[in-house]
Amino acid sequence: MRTLLAAGILVGGLIVLQDQAGALDNGVARTPPMGWNSWNTFGCNINETLIKQMADAIVNSGLRDLGYKYVVVDDCWFDPTRDSAGNLRGNPSRFPGGMKALGDYLHAKGLKFGIYQVPVDKTCAQYFGGYPGATGSQGHEVQDAKQFAAWGVDYLKYDWCSPSGTIDDQVRTFAKMRDALAATGRPIVYSINPNSIHAKTGPQRNWGDVANLWRTTEDITNKWNTGQTNGYPMGIQNIVDVTVPLASYAKPGAFNDPDMMEVGRGGMTDTEMRSHFALWAIMASPLIAGNDLRSMDPATTTILKNQNLIAINQDPLGLQARQVSNDGTRRVLAKKLGNGDVAVALFNQGDSTTTISTTASAIGLAGDSFTLRDAWTNAVSASTGTISAAVPSHGTVVYRVSGGTSSTPTPTPTPSGPADGCTAAYRLVNDWGTGFQSEVTVSNPGPSAIDGWTVKLTLAGGQTISSLWNGVNTGTSGTVTVKNTAYNGTVAANGTTTFGFTAGGNGSAAPTAVTCTTP
């Protein structure tokens, strides 16, 4: 939520800092939160009347009853100075009734109250000179958490907004507010953005021990593709590229956050807007609208109120769709659902209509009789196993596939023996017969950080890597060498980092000779 281009990183590894952050598991956000945030459309131009009008629109449009309940008041809500006791307070000209009264208004409507703050000295608007003062929570974490609880806050968006600090510093600092919120006894969804005005640390670790939601990328904009890997501003395609490989992190209470939605804000075609919503839904992303809810056109209303996609997003398993295949144009994602169904997204990244196909076995289902429900048209069709559709440019067809039985194997780790300063453990994530997805965790068991690592593994006959993330590989079959990227070579003492890959061939045979060495 800013206008400065900070250093960009494509996709990071997993860095576990268990000495700095304990398990979160605070009982909230068991499914991805849904609601509305003020920033994308209004920026700093917010006030009490506007927020109440948006709350009324959520109720009157029927969005509340579909699950959109969090109303998040973003930057610029506060008085530029704290009171004599150091307490935050609402800007008296913008929010004359005060923040508790606003929270009471939202609660009376059956909604939940969200608010914005930062862990450093200045909010993003203050950092860039768009709003006076320096009222961040730095040094006031316990005090501010108590204030938020007293106001009835249900959701805290906590934005880094500083170029300084290592990822270790960020984990420690974000954990301060995590613990302060927990100490209040009030259930508050904790949403963090470590990327703002900073190197992109969001995808570099699983933040589920620190927060319920964590931003994976730079700020979104209402464009399809801005050409960024992970720099300001991010288009829909760019965000999907970063967030898809992080699927294993998602679970009830902890979700990757690809940023607030741009549906209904222009800048994209209706097909692209539909893809945006469908991909956020199947990626188990928070569905936080950012448009002006008072003046939605029919197309926007239809997208935001798609009950089939909302049900997929809100499935109680809390899983994010995993990538089944991606040839650069045709991308297939699959998300297991609690009743045994599987949601499948056929996503066309190309510039012309193309047929995208997969199979029931590829998405983890066995059998020869399946029912496919189209999430957009609600049409139902039968299949013996083929899942296919002609998909327009930048379009996404989503099917809910019923029938058959699960054929996905139980992932089993294959650890390597001790090596030079690091070890590697291979894990099969998903196997669909003609291809599979795996992860390798590099561990540093030593007392000091390592700087750089190399993993060698020998794939079984016929297995060929098709895509790899969080590492740089030499070779795609036989003996493959994977070196760290520039951003995940340093592994703290007793820490880990992870790279993953998809490959063609049957994944039931684990690779042999898995070794890890340091320079």
Side-chain angles (χ1 to χ4, degrees):
M1 192 204 65
R2 16 142 339 238
T3 55
L4 179 70
L5 173 61
I9 292 175
L10 175 59
V11 177
L14 168 63
I15 301 174
V16 177
L17 300 168
Q18 293 180 336
D19 57 324
Q20 297 176 10
L24 179 70
D25 197 18
N26 58 0
V28 298
R30 308 312 293 174
T31 59
M34 299 172 63
W36 177 85
N37 179 290
S38 60
W39 184 259
N40 282 0
T41 294
F42 300 101
C44 251
N45 299 316
I46 58 173
N47 56 55
E48 184 177 295
T49 299
L50 173 71
I51 302 303
K52 289 182 176 180
Q53 288 175 350
M54 290 301 163
D56 294 345
I58 290 175
V59 175
N60 296 336
S61 66
L63 288 173
R64 179 198 61 187
D65 296 337
L66 293 175
Y68 294 88
K69 293 189 176 179
Y70 289 94
V71 176
V72 184
V73 183
D74 213 289
D75 207 344
C76 311
W77 60 265
F78 41 83
D79 191 282
T81 59
R82 292 173 178 264
D83 70 15
S84 59
N87 294 311
L88 290 169
R89 51 192 174 183
N91 183 309
S93 62
R94 296 181 174 212
F95 295 88
M99 305 314 288
K100 184 181 186 306
L102 179 61
D104 291 343
Y105 184 88
L106 297 175
H107 293 148
K109 293 274 183 180
L111 301 170
K112 293 183 179 292
F113 181 22
I115 208 164
Y116 171 95
Q117 180 58 305
V118 299
V120 290
D121 59 335
K122 294 182 178 181
T123 71
C124 283
Q126 290 173 331
Y127 180 91
F128 287 109
Y131 195 84
T135 51
S137 283
Q138 183 174 282
H140 294 270
E141 289 86 358
V142 172
Q143 183 177 20
D144 289 354
K146 289 180 178 178
Q147 185 68 79
F148 296 147
W151 287 342
V153 167
D154 305 294
Y155 181 117
L156 174 63
K157 176 181 174 181
Y158 210 49
D159 205 0
W160 186 256
C161 289
S162 172
S164 64
T166 65
I167 188 171
D168 300 52
D169 296 330
Q170 288 186 313
V171 172
R172 282 189 291 266
T173 304
F174 280 124
K176 290 180 182 178
M177 181 56 78
R178 173 203 65 191
D179 296 340
L181 293 173
T184 68
R186 182 173 180 80
I188 298 175
V189 175
Y190 187 33
S191 171
I192 65 170
N193 179 10
N195 309 316
S196 195
I197 319 176
H198 194 276
K200 304 306 167 275
T201 50
Q204 289 189 39
R205 78 186 300 274
N206 183 344
W207 292 86
D209 54 345
V210 177
N212 299 113
L213 317 169
W214 55 93
R215 280 277 301 281
T216 57
T217 70
E218 252 294 358
D219 286 3
I220 194 171
T221 191
N222 54 336
K223 301 295 181 186
W224 181 254
N225 188 338
T226 61
Q228 298 283 356
T229 53
N230 203 344
Y232 181 84
M234 296 290 281
I236 305 308
Q237 176 70 69
N238 316 121
I239 290 175
V240 171
D241 289 341
V242 174
T243 307
V244 163
L246 309 178
S248 62
Y249 299 164
K251 64 179 183 180
F255 298 101
N256 294 301
D257 180 4
D259 208 356
M260 303 164 289
M261 295 187 295
E262 296 282 0
V263 175
R265 296 200 61 243
M268 289 181 276
T269 67
D270 184 60
T271 295
E272 290 169 341
M273 291 287 190
R274 286 171 174 258
S275 265
H276 174 16
F277 189 77
L279 292 165
W280 262 233
I282 203 165
M283 290 193 304
S285 306
L287 298 182
I288 306 295
N291 59 307
D292 189 337
L293 301 176
R294 301 168 300 181
S295 56
M296 292 188 291
D297 61 23
T300 298
T301 302
T302 297
I303 293 171
L304 292 179
K305 296 178 74 171
N306 185 301
Q307 295 185 52
N308 290 324
L309 291 172
I310 290 172
I312 289 169
N313 177 263
Q314 294 294 297
D315 184 79
L317 287 185
L319 298 177
Q320 178 176 324
R322 293 180 180 272
Q323 183 163 285
V324 174
S325 62
N326 178 17
D327 65 4
T329 297
R330 293 162 294 199
R331 195 170 204 159
V332 178
L333 306 174
K335 171 182 166 72
K336 294 181 183 178
L337 304 175
N339 70 342
D341 293 353
V342 178
V344 180
L346 308 177
F347 173 32
N348 180 4
Q349 302 174 141
D351 295 329
S352 60
T353 298
T354 189
T355 297
I356 304 177
S357 301
T358 188
T359 64
S361 62
I363 65 169
L365 292 174
D368 57 10
S369 179
F370 303 92
T371 299
L372 280 58
R373 180 179 295 275
D374 187 312
W376 288 113
T377 67
N378 213 33
V380 176
S381 58
S383 172
T384 58
T386 298
I387 303 165
S388 182
V391 186
S393 171
H394 301 169
T396 302
V397 171
V398 177
Y399 290 118
R400 184 171 184 135
V401 183
S402 306
T405 58
S406 176
S407 63
T408 303
T410 301
T412 54
T414 305
S416 70
D420 180 17
C422 58
T423 62
Y426 170 89
R427 183 172 79 97
L428 178 63
V429 175
N430 194 9
D431 189 350
W432 50 92
T434 57
F436 62 96
Q437 180 179 347
S438 296
E439 293 177 346
V440 176
T441 300
V442 175
S443 300
N444 172 18
S448 302
I450 60 174
D451 186 13
W453 49 265
T454 300
V455 171
K456 288 187 178 181
L457 63 162
T458 301
L459 299 175
Q463 296 177 342
T464 303
I465 291 175
S466 54
S467 62
L468 184 142
W469 51 91
N470 302 345
V472 179
N473 59 300
T474 301
T476 58
S477 60
T479 298
V480 177
T481 300
V482 182
K483 293 182 178 292
N484 61 275
T485 63
Y487 51 79
N488 67 347
T490 300
V491 184
N494 298 312
T496 64
T497 188
T498 299
F499 68 86
F501 62 87
T502 55
N506 192 303
S508 59
T512 59
V514 182
T515 62
C516 181
T517 57
T518 57

